Amino acid sequence: SRFCNMVAIYVDGLHLRAPGSFLRNLGLAEFDRIEFLTPLEATLLYGLNGERGALLLFTRGGPRARQ
């Protein structure tokens, strides 16, 4: 198959269904931290969206910066 079984990607808590162009426009300096959840952890948190795991991206200007 030509299709990739991608993990779910969340940026500052928002699920990105088509992350390609969005992620290409971000530089590494914009990220505060990056976490990976295993399929088990991600499924517990996000249901079927997390069945392949999840990549959590937290930007420097994300919700925590506005608090």
Side-chain angles (χ1 to χ4, degrees), residues 50-67:
E51 68 183 341
R52 292 187 180 97
L55 184 63
L56 308 179
L57 307 170
F58 300 91
T59 62
R60 295 188 189 284
R64 291 183 306 139
R66 292 188 275 275
Q67 293 178 358

Side-chain angles (χ1 to χ4, degrees), residues 2-5 11 17 22 25 31 43 56 60 62 65:
R2 295 179 337 149
F3 298 100
C4 176
N5 292 327
V11 176
R17 295 197 185 278
F22 178 81
N25 293 324
F31 292 106
T43 301
L56 308 179
R60 295 188 189 284

Side-chain angles (χ1 to χ4, degrees), residues 1-50:
S1 168
R2 295 179 337 149
F3 298 100
C4 176
N5 292 327
M6 285 185 47
V7 299
I9 298 177
Y10 291 83
V11 176
D12 295 325
L14 300 174
H15 183 221
L16 297 182
R17 295 197 185 278
S21 61
F22 178 81
L23 293 177
R24 276 193 294 273
N25 293 324
L26 287 178
L28 285 178
E30 296 182 57
F31 292 106
D32 181 38
R33 74 181 196 275
I34 299 171
E35 297 178 9
F36 180 77
L37 298 180
T38 65
L40 178 60
E41 295 168 318
T43 301
L44 288 172
L45 289 172
Y46 303 112
L48 290 178
N49 283 337

